[in-house]
Amino acid sequence: MGHLDHATFGWLTPALSYAMACIGAALGLRCTVRALDATGRSRRNWLLTAASAIGTGIWTMHFVAMLGFGVTGTDIRYDVPLTILSLVVAMAVVGVGVFAVGYGRDRVRSLLIGGLTTGIGVASMHYMGMAALRLHGQVRYDPLLVGLSVLIAVVAATAALWAALNIHAPAAVAVASLVMGAAVSSMHYTGMFAVRVEVVPSGAALPGATVMQFIFPLAVGLGSYLFITSAFVALSPTARERAAYASAGRLTEPDDRAVDVAPPGFRTAEAARTPTT
């Protein structure tokens, strides 16, 4: 059995993957909060952004952590189409969850459905990403730890959606994002501790791309997307702020319907006192 190393670069990859999970969670929560205050197409667009942020954040967290994954006795490659499919699945299933919360009338039922769907989506992304591994040997899993990782994913997703429904203050959202990031990272490493690899030495070339050829550039690109979108959301006014701006604008505009209440002869007297040139 090959020795598994989950941090070949030390604490760099676990810390960076945790940061990616927190950023994705924070952005997703803020977008969901914005969606709940909006209507029509604006709500739909905010929910789409939330789904892409959470899905991208979780996927980036997973594969940044995988940058530090190694198995003694074999190289590791990644199946490119399956890896990209795991990203699509993450965003799609998370989207189902946030839309259930965003449009559901019964909050408790919507929260349970959304949390279950999103949690299963997170777990599916993780194990689909693991299925994309190509190495000399066989990968097996401890069923108990796999079940625990799925349970953590569902609980974490439900807690995140609950926070989106009930927490609106930026400071509280930041704390909830740190907790969500810790929960998602815990799910990832619980799933990784479930892995067992039986190495079969071979000199044959492995199919797929290396981590630096494919995973690293894609993770950097998606991480940049998260940072740019975070800046956009932070600078975009909320619905309440737009309403306040609109109200202030109406107060400063002259009203053509204003009634002249000056006493009779007042304007005539004023005109008479005004010197003419």
Side-chain angles (χ1 to χ4, degrees):
M1 183 175 293
H3 173 71
L4 276 62
D5 190 346
H6 299 283
T8 57
F9 297 104
W11 285 100
L12 176 62
T13 50
L16 188 56
S17 66
Y18 172 68
M20 291 296 102
C22 291
I23 293 172
L27 182 55
L29 291 178
R30 290 305 299 164
C31 290
T32 306
V33 169
R34 296 287 186 92
L36 295 175
D37 290 336
T39 57
R41 289 185 300 175
S42 181
R43 171 172 289 195
R44 179 202 64 192
N45 293 339
W46 279 119
L47 290 175
L48 288 173
T49 306
S52 67
I54 297 174
T56 299
I58 293 171
W59 189 95
T60 306
M61 177 279 303
H62 171 82
F63 281 100
V64 166
M66 293 300 292
L67 292 175
F69 178 69
V71 181
T72 57
T74 178
D75 293 329
I76 295 176
R77 299 289 188 273
Y78 290 88
D79 183 288
V80 174
L82 192 54
T83 303
I84 294 176
L85 181 60
S86 70
L87 172 60
V88 174
V89 167
M91 292 191 290
V93 183
V94 169
V96 173
V98 297
F99 269 81
V101 170
Y103 286 100
R105 295 184 179 181
D106 186 336
R107 283 202 166 189
V108 175
R109 182 180 178 184
S110 300
L111 180 61
L112 293 176
I113 294 174
L116 179 62
T117 304
T118 304
I120 291 175
V122 171
S124 299
M125 181 281 303
H126 174 87
Y127 289 104
M128 188 175 292
M130 292 301 295
L133 286 177
R134 298 292 178 263
L135 48 77
H136 293 303
Q138 293 183 341
V139 178
R140 303 183 186 278
Y141 294 92
D142 183 328
L144 181 61
L145 289 177
V146 169
L148 180 59
S149 70
V150 175
L151 178 61
I152 293 174
V154 171
V155 172
T158 305
L161 294 176
W162 177 89
L165 288 172
N166 296 279
I167 297 177
H168 298 274
V173 169
V175 173
S177 302
L178 295 176
V179 175
M180 177 64 179
V184 173
S185 296
S186 298
M187 176 268 160
H188 170 82
Y189 284 104
T190 300
M192 293 306 297
F193 290 143
V195 175
R196 304 289 184 270
V197 178
E198 295 181 4
V199 176
V200 178
S202 173
L206 288 168
T210 67
V211 67
M212 289 301 176
Q213 288 174 337
F214 174 58
I215 300 298
F216 181 73
L218 187 56
V220 170
L222 293 176
S224 301
Y225 163 77
L226 287 176
F227 280 109
I228 293 171
T229 307
S230 298
F232 168 77
V233 172
L235 296 174
S236 177
T238 63
R240 294 178 183 178
E241 290 172 341
R242 287 195 298 270
Y245 296 154
S247 178
R250 286 194 297 268
L251 290 175
T252 57
E253 290 177 356
D255 193 345
D256 295 336
R257 297 172 298 175
V259 179
D260 188 357
V261 295
F266 177 78
R267 293 192 179 280
T268 304
E270 284 295 317
R273 288 196 296 270
T274 302
T276 58
T277 56

